[in-house]
């Protein structure tokens, strides 16, 4: 039986608010990247992560299913959005692209701190932004739709904003 709390209106309002706060928080990424690729990354992964969070809430997916869905999203969208130079035809992940995605997840943070900004889409330096937005939207929207303390959703975009500022030029 469907919960009244997960009405289409409730989902739409929470999703719209998540998108708005993500857009505001993601603006702090612009000085780091200053490229069209970051805008595309923000828009596409925000929408895709929202779909996963909404499906997880509506169908009451347990935590391990949400983790697997997030991992699937990371692997499917990571190379085309965060390492586009390693994507086949610009959209299909390649083995080299997946390696760059995984190493960018682990090492991209350090590289961002030691490289001259803006970085654009250089190597796999879009990966940290991709991971931040992916996790922020999935966690934030899942909390908004599932938790009795939905107001805690503000922590996800706030963390995105603070981390983006920390990696920024000043």
């Amino acid at each position: 039986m469907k919960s009244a709390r997960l009405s289409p209106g409730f989902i739409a309002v929470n999703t719209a608010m998540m998108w708005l706060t993500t857009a505001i928080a993601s603006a702090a990424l612009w000085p780091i990247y200053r490229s069209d690729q970051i805008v595309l990354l923000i828009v596409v992964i925000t929408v895709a992560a929202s779909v996963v969070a909404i499906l997880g809430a509506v169908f009451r997916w347990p935590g391990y299913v949400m983790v697997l869905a997030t991992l699937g999203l990371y692997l499917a969208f990571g190379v085309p959005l965060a390492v586009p130079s390693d994507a086949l035809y610009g959209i299909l992940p390649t083995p080299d692209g997946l390696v760059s995605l995984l190493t960018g997840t682990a090492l991209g943070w350090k590289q961002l701190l030691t490289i001259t900004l803006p970085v654009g889409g250089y190597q796999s330096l879009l990966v940290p932004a991709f991971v931040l937005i992916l996790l922020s939207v999935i966690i934030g929207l899942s909390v908004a739709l599932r938790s009795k303390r939905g107001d805690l959703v503000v922590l996800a975009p706030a963390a995105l904003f603070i981390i983006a500022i920390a990696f920024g030029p000043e």
Side-chain angles (χ1 to χ4, degrees):
M1 186 160 144
K2 194 172 164 182
S3 169
R5 187 170 191 276
L6 287 178
S7 67
F10 180 81
I11 292 171
V13 167
N14 280 279
T15 302
M17 291 297 108
M18 188 73 225
W19 288 3
L20 177 63
T21 56
T22 298
I24 293 168
S26 296
L29 293 168
W30 181 254
I32 300 170
Y33 295 99
R34 289 190 194 160
S35 79
D36 295 340
Q37 289 176 311
I38 190 67
V39 176
L40 178 66
L41 181 148
I42 292 166
V43 170
V44 172
I45 203 57
T46 298
V47 172
S50 297
V51 169
V52 169
I54 291 168
L55 289 173
V58 169
F59 294 109
R60 300 175 192 241
W61 290 349
Y64 73 91
V65 174
M66 288 299 295
V67 169
L68 291 174
T70 302
L71 184 59
L73 200 61
Y74 167 81
L75 293 172
F77 285 79
V79 174
L81 293 175
V83 195
S85 60
D86 287 346
L88 185 62
Y89 307 118
I91 57 170
L92 298 175
T94 62
D96 288 341
L98 291 171
V99 168
S100 294
L101 177 66
L102 294 171
T103 57
T105 301
L107 305 174
W109 311 92
K110 179 182 174 190
Q111 289 175 312
L112 275 179
L113 290 173
T114 59
I115 196 165
T116 304
L117 300 178
V119 297
Y122 181 68
Q123 292 182 350
S124 59
L125 291 178
L126 282 165
V127 175
F130 173 77
V131 171
L132 277 174
I133 295 166
L134 171 66
L135 294 177
S136 174
V137 173
I138 284 190
I139 292 169
L141 192 53
S142 293
V143 167
L145 298 176
R146 293 174 178 234
S147 175
K148 292 178 183 175
R149 297 291 317 238
D151 51 343
L152 292 176
V153 69
V154 74
L155 297 175
L160 168 61
F161 182 73
I162 292 166
I163 293 169
I165 287 176
F167 283 90
E170 296 178 15

